[in-house]
Amino acid sequence: MAFTIRGAVIAVSLALLATVASQLFYIGVVAELDDGTFLRKVTWTTEMAMFSLVAIAALPLASRSTVPLVWAAIAISGIMNVIQVGIGLAEFGPAREAADEAVFQSVLGGAFFLYFHAKALIGMAAIGLGLSALAHGTLGKVLGGLSILAGAAAAVLNLLAMANGMEVMFPAGASGTAATALFALTALLVVKGEAG
């Protein structure tokens, strides 16, 4: 399979948009179900596949694009997300059955630490790509500016969440999801020019 910067950027962007859709589906549908075990597993497995694609496609971009640190952050974010989803799929069930509630809370806290780390990295990448997009006409300025703002919010809130645990989970997650969507849209715009 031939590698092109354009193809890799498109693959990462579409996979990230798919994770945004799956997170919205999880919050809006799966989390509201009395027993959403099956849908939860399907949703998380889909996210794991998408984050694997993100990591695989972003790794070569870290060495071949004009903004390598942006793509390195995205690749590491993809890896962190694969690990945190894996913890959810493989360890949440057994940890819930432990006699001591602290076991589950510890596993949950570890998974969310990685989740917050991944979102903070996406936030930082959104800032970097947003700055690059400012040179791409009016739409680049709009998307770039929004990416910078969402990225800054995601980076700050998720770093705070890493330090403070679950107290800011919802704003941290929401800002990270917004930064992810804006990063992906900005990347699709920028790839037309110099491929990020």
Side-chain angles (χ1 to χ4, degrees), residues 31-81:
E32 300 298 318
L33 297 175
D34 289 335
D35 182 20
T37 304
F38 175 74
L39 271 181
R40 180 169 31 276
K41 287 181 179 179
V42 169
T43 304
W44 287 355
T45 302
T46 301
E47 284 187 8
M48 182 179 281
M50 292 300 101
F51 284 125
S52 296
L53 176 58
V54 166
I56 290 165
L59 277 171
L61 288 170
S63 64
R64 299 195 44 196
S65 78
T66 59
V67 284
L69 295 179
V70 165
W71 296 108
I74 292 296
I76 294 170
S77 172
I79 293 166
M80 292 297 103
N81 272 305

Side-chain angles (χ1 to χ4, degrees), residues 174-190:
S175 65
T177 300
T180 302
L182 285 163
F183 176 90
L185 294 173
T186 302
L188 290 171
L189 171 74
V190 173

Side-chain angles (χ1 to χ4, degrees), residues 27-146:
I27 290 168
V29 176
V30 179
E32 300 298 318
L33 297 175
D34 289 335
D35 182 20
T37 304
F38 175 74
L39 271 181
R40 180 169 31 276
K41 287 181 179 179
V42 169
T43 304
W44 287 355
T45 302
T46 301
E47 284 187 8
M48 182 179 281
M50 292 300 101
F51 284 125
S52 296
L53 176 58
V54 166
I56 290 165
L59 277 171
L61 288 170
S63 64
R64 299 195 44 196
S65 78
T66 59
V67 284
L69 295 179
V70 165
W71 296 108
I74 292 296
I76 294 170
S77 172
I79 293 166
M80 292 297 103
N81 272 305
V82 167
I83 296 169
Q84 67 92 8
V85 172
I87 291 171
L89 283 167
E91 297 180 20
F92 280 6
R96 268 198 187 97
E97 295 173 9
D100 186 351
E101 173 66 18
V103 173
F104 177 68
Q105 291 305 319
S106 177
V107 172
L108 182 70
F112 268 97
F113 184 88
L114 296 175
Y115 171 85
F116 296 139
H117 181 233
K119 295 293 188 195
L121 287 171
I122 288 175
M124 291 177 205
I127 294 168
L129 194 64
L131 290 169
S132 176
L134 295 176
H136 290 265
T138 303
L139 185 56
K141 286 179 175 48
V142 171
L143 275 177
L146 290 172

